[in-house]
Amino acid sequence: MSRTSIGATGGVLRHCDTVSNWLQRWWENSLGLPAAEPGQVSRWRWTATFPWPSWLPPTIGWLVMTALVLVIVEVYRRDGRSLGVRQRAVLIALRCAIVSLLFALLAQVSVLVEQTGLPLLVVLIDDSASMGLRDAYSADEDRTVVANLVGSSSATASADAERWELARRILTQEEGRWLRELRRRHRIRVERFSADVVPIGDDLVDDDSERRLIADLERLLPTGDVTRPAEAVRHVLNQTRGTPPAAIVLLTDGIASSGDADRLSAVVPLARERLVPLFVIGIGSDQPTRDVQLAELIVDDVAFANDPLIFSAKVKSFGLAGQSATVELRERGQERSLARKAIKLPADGQTVTVDLLFTPTQSGDHEFELLVAPPPGDVDRDNNRLSRTVRVREGKLKILLADGLPRWEFRELKNLLEREPTIELHTLLQEADLEFALQDETAKPLQGRFPLTREALSAYDVLLLGDLNPGAFSSGVLEHLREFVREGGGVLLMAGSQHMPLGFRGTPLEMLLPVELDGASVPPSDADLRESFQPRWTEAGRLSTPLFRHLQLDTLASGDDATSGSASRDVWRSLPGLFWLCDAPRLKAGATVLLEHPLRRGEKQPLPVIALQRFGAGKVLFHATDELWRWRFRDGEQIYSRYWIQALRFLSRTQSLDGTRGVEFTADRQTYQHGDAVKLRLQVLDERQLPASGAASVVLERADEPRRSIQLARVANSTNIFVGELRGLSVGRYHAWLSDPSFPGAPPAADFVIEAPQRELLRRQLDRADLEAATRATHGRYFALHEADRVPAEIPAGQPVPLSAATIIPLWTRWELLLLFAGLLTVEWLLRRRWRLV
């Protein structure tokens, strides 16, 4: 007796058409087989135990059956001569069926069933930041495919589609047709990779999982900091060591930003050892990517009519080093150029700073647009322009200049501000004679009396307070001064040898100072100061405020190149030195030093010469010296005047905005590296605008992403300052606007950019040569973008994955087989009797 396989392997997928599904379910139900799960196959083969010795060849059995068939044919040919050919054929068929069925029963026919899984196919999608780039494709077929993928009727749409968008649409077009074709023969696992490999949903085994995957892909963006194709493939091969995938498909630009060790070709030996072919769809162009970007536009948000305004921005380029471009300033919606400058584009990934000078003449809110016109071939025109709204104000700033004695600082500053047509100046000297108060035009309005009420103080935009005697002020007046700043006013305090600032220790004015008075000291008025010093311009002073941008004005006006800052520093070093300085070794928390002593140090930093502090909604500047008047000597007259005018306008900016919005909403920077925290800050200048909920709400927007609502929390010990911190933002341009408190018209807003790390975007061309080499070495294939539709047909079928041990189900004992045997005998007997053969 021997058991021999007498049938072929067969199987039916649950994913086939309706008829196949019904047949499979009928077969499984009839035999009591467990239903195949999605992504599984029920496979079976027939087995039998022949009634002859095992040493006898199986062919003997087939010969016996053949002989029986011949005997049956001969018997019916001889006995059924009276019958027609068709009738004899029916009887022969019935007798052969009966003999075959009897033979099956004697041979104990059984079915051997095993459950197998579809072979695994892994699809890896590159989601690094370089996949957010756009390309100008040179091949006509690639441009046509891109146009079809993005749904454009124009073949010139290639530069409008990001690489990530193209990869996503290859997988999801026509409701996932590409994936469906692969899913007929494979279990699909889709994962994304940059620095790490992350699964996207579950394995694709049915239509529901496919729909979930498509929805997940819609929400993803290319934000990875680094690209590691080899490490991604190595991770998959190690993860599937027991049952390696039939193939690995990559949709990538192949740029290994972390180094050559992570190029795809580095994993070829391991892939060949595991017999896993690599198939790659190259996304992107292997031609040099040309792109010009404009970032970090800096301009004052409040200006005055007929005053020069500086627009400063950074230009970054790729693939265009040394070529010429033009940076142009326009008013939004108009073609007329307000200012323009020709520049040489920097090396790949480097930036050059560009400053344009424009003098507005009309008041109102103006939306200015700075744009760069690059050479031909720029692939992304969306990042070539930036816009900012500037409020141009007419009228005069109302300034109060008060001092104890007519010091040099007072006299020079008074002469300057009296000549300035945009300033209405009122002056006060505590120790002046009556004739000055009655005859000087700037002193007449006050007549020697300091404003005593909050209403009188609020009439001024900025207060310039010198070496005043604190004994002349009641505590109520000093309280009014503090509230003036808290509500948005600007104050500039000028140190002196008699009273300012030490004489105001313990008064409300001490709270306004950006320095601690403990440990502070001033040289006596008769001190012998023979050695001058040149204050040093701090980085915070250069970046955080517009106070020293007058240096750029001088440089621009002279026609020098100010982009590097060296010309501005030369102007700074040409100023006369200073001698007298109030030593304030300790800063208050939150204070910013704008100018510092080049040699002498305080507790933790050089001694401040000019420092800034925000208090409530207002600003306070502290001059630790009273010798800025020395800047007027030599060639510094213009710099001296511009500094003071700029300082007054900077301090009055909050007041300038107060009439319309009553808030100041800012981000701490305009450009961030991916992973940096974005800090948002809101100052409510008008208490009537405070949010009722106790927290401010901000809406964050980014193209192709849903809006997000963010809460800004109130700062401890403050009633009108709210802050918030954003982390984990993806690469891109963001627009944040204030939703609560609400305002009529356009709400206060802040724009900022999250950039990918420099190394990720430094190399931009598709690494086609490496991708092709890796696919050839692993017996896979590289596909250009226009060949992506051919991938499903090229993927090898792979080997089924056994899921369980085979199960033997005897068929010869089943009642259906016995019933069939009896039925055939009955039918044959009835037909023989009817045709008179019995």
Side-chain angles (χ1 to χ4, degrees):
M1 304 267 299
S2 63
R3 178 176 294 275
T4 306
S5 175
I6 61 172
T9 301
V12 182
L13 286 173
R14 288 181 60 87
H15 302 301
C16 297
D17 53 39
T18 305
V19 175
S20 297
N21 286 334
W22 181 85
L23 289 174
Q24 177 181 353
R25 287 303 307 146
W26 177 84
W27 176 253
E28 291 172 347
N29 291 333
S30 298
L31 299 182
L33 296 175
E37 298 293 332
Q40 297 179 3
V41 177
S42 296
R43 296 181 180 273
W44 59 87
R45 64 177 181 269
W46 308 99
T47 64
T49 302
F50 293 104
W52 50 69
S54 58
W55 53 264
L56 197 63
T59 54
I60 298 299
W62 295 111
L63 291 174
V64 172
M65 289 190 64
T66 304
L68 286 175
V69 170
L70 294 176
V71 170
I72 293 171
V73 171
E74 178 60 24
V75 169
Y76 274 108
R77 186 187 67 82
R78 187 183 68 245
D79 296 345
R81 291 175 181 173
S82 60
L83 299 178
V85 175
R86 185 173 300 177
Q87 293 171 323
R88 279 184 289 175
V90 171
L91 291 174
I92 291 172
L94 284 172
R95 181 58 61 88
C96 289
I98 292 170
V99 171
S100 299
L101 194 55
L102 178 62
F103 189 81
L105 292 173
L106 294 175
Q108 301 181 6
V109 173
S110 302
V111 62
L112 190 146
V113 182
E114 59 181 349
Q115 294 283 356
T116 61
L118 292 174
L120 177 65
L121 177 69
V122 179
V123 179
L124 292 175
I125 310 176
D126 185 351
D127 71 339
S128 63
S130 65
M131 291 292 285
L133 299 175
R134 302 177 183 184
D135 300 271
Y137 293 91
S138 56
D140 291 339
E141 56 265 42
D142 282 339
R143 289 198 297 268
T144 302
V145 168
V146 171
N148 292 335
L149 288 174
V150 300
S152 172
S153 59
S154 171
T156 62
S158 63
D160 296 329
E162 295 181 353
R163 296 174 181 176
W164 169 262
E165 180 66 12
L166 296 178
R168 186 182 64 80
R169 287 182 181 265
I170 288 173
L171 300 183
T172 61
Q173 64 177 327
E174 299 180 28
E175 298 181 350
R177 174 184 56 82
W178 195 86
L179 290 171
R180 259 195 323 276
E181 291 182 11
L182 288 174
R183 190 158 54 84
R184 292 183 183 278
R185 297 189 300 167
H186 300 88
R187 177 168 55 92
I188 310 299
R189 179 176 300 165
V190 182
E191 300 180 325
R192 56 186 174 91
F193 74 94
S194 49
D196 300 307
V197 179
V198 180
I200 306 177
D202 301 324
D203 291 356
L204 299 190
V205 293
D206 55 17
D207 293 340
D208 289 340
S209 58
E210 186 175 292
R211 282 191 290 268
R212 289 193 297 269
L213 172 72
I214 293 175
D216 290 339
L217 287 172
E218 294 283 351
R219 292 191 290 266
L220 294 176
L221 292 170
T223 60
D225 296 342
V226 64
T227 312
R228 306 178 67 189
E231 183 59 30
V233 173
R234 188 176 292 111
H235 172 85
V236 171
L237 293 175
N238 291 333
Q239 192 178 46
T240 59
R241 182 173 301 178
T243 53
I248 298 177
V249 180
L250 294 95
L251 291 85
T252 178
D253 54 22
I255 301 172
S257 56
S258 57
D260 290 346
D262 279 322
R263 298 177 77 187
L264 187 61
S265 56
V267 78
V268 163
L270 181 61
R272 295 183 63 175
E273 177 187 335
R274 305 285 174 83
L275 303 177
V276 177
L278 302 180
F279 294 81
V280 176
I281 302 175
I283 309 294
S285 172
D286 54 2
Q287 301 299 313
T289 301
R290 296 186 169 195
D291 188 23
V292 178
Q293 304 173 6
L294 198 60
E296 294 194 38
L297 174 58
I298 300 175
V299 63
D300 296 342
D301 48 9
V302 176
F304 290 82
N306 301 310
D307 271 1
L309 192 61
I310 299 177
F311 293 79
S312 179
K314 291 183 178 180
V315 178
K316 181 188 292 187
S317 71
F318 293 89
L320 297 167
Q323 299 193 36
S324 299
T326 302
V327 181
E328 189 173 0
L329 177 68
R330 299 176 183 173
E331 192 156 0
R332 190 73 175 269
Q334 300 184 10
E335 294 298 323
R336 184 172 66 91
S337 177
L338 304 178
R340 61 192 307 158
K341 185 174 184 178
I343 63 171
K344 292 290 186 182
L345 294 173
D348 287 1
Q350 303 301 310
T351 61
V352 60
T353 302
V354 181
D355 297 306
L356 293 181
L357 185 64
F358 172 67
T359 302
T361 58
Q362 296 182 345
S363 62
D365 289 346
H366 298 265
E367 188 173 5
F368 294 101
E369 185 176 58
L370 195 67
L371 55 95
V372 54
D378 184 49
V379 298
D380 190 354
R381 298 280 176 166
D382 292 343
N383 58 10
N384 294 356
R385 60 185 65 210
L386 293 172
S387 61
R388 290 289 184 273
T389 299
V390 177
R391 173 161 300 152
V392 180
R393 172 180 171 179
E394 280 187 342
K396 297 182 176 182
L397 285 178
K398 194 170 183 180
I399 307 298
L400 170 58
L401 172 61
D403 211 329
L405 294 170
R407 301 181 294 167
W408 278 103
E409 194 79 291
F410 175 86
R411 285 182 284 181
E412 296 294 345
L413 187 53
K414 177 177 180 295
N415 291 335
L416 168 67
L417 299 183
E418 280 180 316
R419 300 192 303 269
E420 176 60 41
T422 62
I423 288 178
E424 179 185 347
L425 179 66
H426 294 175
T427 60
L428 171 68
L429 278 175
Q430 286 182 328
E431 299 187 19
D433 53 26
L434 184 60
E435 183 179 356
F436 172 79
L438 296 177
Q439 295 182 2
D440 189 282
E441 293 298 326
T442 63
K444 283 181 180 180
L446 294 177
Q447 296 183 354
R449 293 188 297 271
F450 192 86
L452 301 179
T453 64
R454 292 179 64 175
E455 291 75 15
L457 282 175
S458 63
Y460 293 95
D461 294 292
V462 179
L463 306 180
L464 305 178
L465 306 182
D467 201 12
L468 296 167
N469 185 348
F473 297 97
S474 66
S475 59
V477 172
L478 296 179
E479 288 282 357
H480 295 335
L481 272 174
R482 184 177 63 185
E483 292 306 309
F484 170 79
V485 179
R486 187 191 298 275
E487 293 172 0
V491 169
L492 192 150
L493 304 173
M494 295 171 283
S497 58
Q498 296 186 13
H499 306 292
M500 180 67 74
L502 300 182
F504 289 89
R505 181 184 280 113
T507 70
L509 199 64
E510 182 181 5
M511 298 179 62
L512 303 181
L513 287 164
V515 297
E516 299 283 359
L517 295 185
D518 293 340
S521 62
V522 296
S525 57
D526 56 351
D528 186 13
L529 303 173
R530 300 186 180 183
E531 186 175 348
S532 68
F533 65 92
Q534 185 64 264
R536 188 166 56 195
W537 192 11
T538 67
E539 188 72 7
R542 186 176 68 86
L543 296 177
S544 63
T545 71
L547 287 178
F548 298 105
R549 301 187 70 195
H550 59 288
L551 298 181
Q552 291 171 274
L553 282 170
D554 290 296
T555 306
L556 291 170
S558 66
D560 295 331
D561 184 8
T563 58
S564 65
S566 59
S568 297
R569 288 190 290 270
D570 291 340
V571 173
W572 184 257
R573 284 192 290 266
S574 69
L575 294 173
L578 309 177
F579 292 87
W580 189 89
L581 181 70
C582 169
D583 292 359
R586 297 172 56 195
L587 290 175
K588 288 182 179 177
T592 303
V593 177
L594 310 180
L595 288 184
E596 63 187 13
H597 198 284
L599 300 175
R600 297 170 59 189
R601 294 186 60 84
E603 284 189 358
K604 298 180 180 179
Q605 70 286 316
L607 289 175
V609 178
I610 297 180
L612 168 69
Q613 175 173 265
R614 294 178 179 269
F615 184 84
K619 307 181 188 75
V620 179
L621 269 180
F622 173 63
H623 286 190
T625 180
D626 63 352
E627 294 186 344
L628 295 191
W629 55 270
R630 294 183 183 274
W631 287 354
R632 294 192 59 197
F633 299 154
R634 302 180 194 168
D635 300 324
E637 172 72 32
Q638 192 176 34
I639 295 176
Y640 174 78
S641 62
R642 281 184 174 162
Y643 166 75
W644 277 106
I645 299 303
Q646 193 70 30
L648 294 177
R649 289 172 181 170
F650 169 69
L651 292 171
S652 68
R653 185 184 304 165
T654 304
Q655 293 281 54
S656 301
L657 290 173
D658 192 18
T660 56
R661 288 183 176 174
V663 301
E664 190 175 80
F665 177 55
T666 58
D668 60 329
R669 301 205 303 271
Q670 288 190 21
T671 303
Y672 302 84
Q673 290 292 305
H674 185 244
D676 291 350
V678 178
K679 298 178 180 178
L680 300 178
R681 186 176 188 272
L682 171 68
Q683 285 185 322
V684 181
L685 312 178
D686 185 349
E687 292 184 357
R688 294 171 298 180
Q689 296 285 0
L690 286 172
S693 63
S697 296
V698 173
V699 174
L700 185 66
E701 296 178 338
R702 182 186 185 277
D704 302 325
E705 278 191 4
R707 290 178 173 179
R708 294 170 51 187
S709 182
I710 301 161
Q711 298 295 311
L712 303 186
R714 193 191 306 270
V715 174
N717 302 322
S718 173
T719 60
N720 66 331
I721 300 178
F722 302 81
V723 296
E725 191 172 279
L726 307 178
R727 293 185 178 274
L729 295 180
S730 56
V731 174
R733 295 177 178 268
Y734 290 85
H735 178 71
W737 52 274
L738 193 63
S739 59
D740 184 20
S742 59
F743 298 87
D751 296 311
F752 58 89
V753 178
I754 306 293
E755 291 186 340
Q758 185 72 11
R759 64 177 182 176
E760 174 60 21
L761 295 181
L762 198 56
R763 294 173 55 193
R764 296 185 161 213
Q765 295 102 303
L766 168 73
D767 195 352
R768 178 167 182 163
D770 184 72
L771 297 177
E772 288 182 333
T775 55
R776 281 196 306 268
T778 59
H779 305 289
R781 184 175 173 185
Y782 174 86
F783 297 88
L785 195 61
H786 64 274
E787 299 173 317
D789 276 348
R790 297 164 56 182
V791 173
E794 297 284 342
I795 301 298
Q799 295 297 320
V801 180
L803 300 178
S804 61
T807 303
I808 298 177
I809 302 177
L811 297 182
W812 63 281
T813 60
R814 296 187 64 86
W815 63 269
E816 297 96 331
L817 205 61
L818 296 175
L819 183 62
L820 178 61
F821 181 74
L824 292 175
L825 285 175
T826 303
V827 170
E828 185 194 21
W829 182 83
L830 292 175
L831 290 176
R832 285 173 61 86
R833 180 171 180 176
R834 179 176 180 180
W835 293 334
R836 303 182 182 280
L837 294 180
V838 293

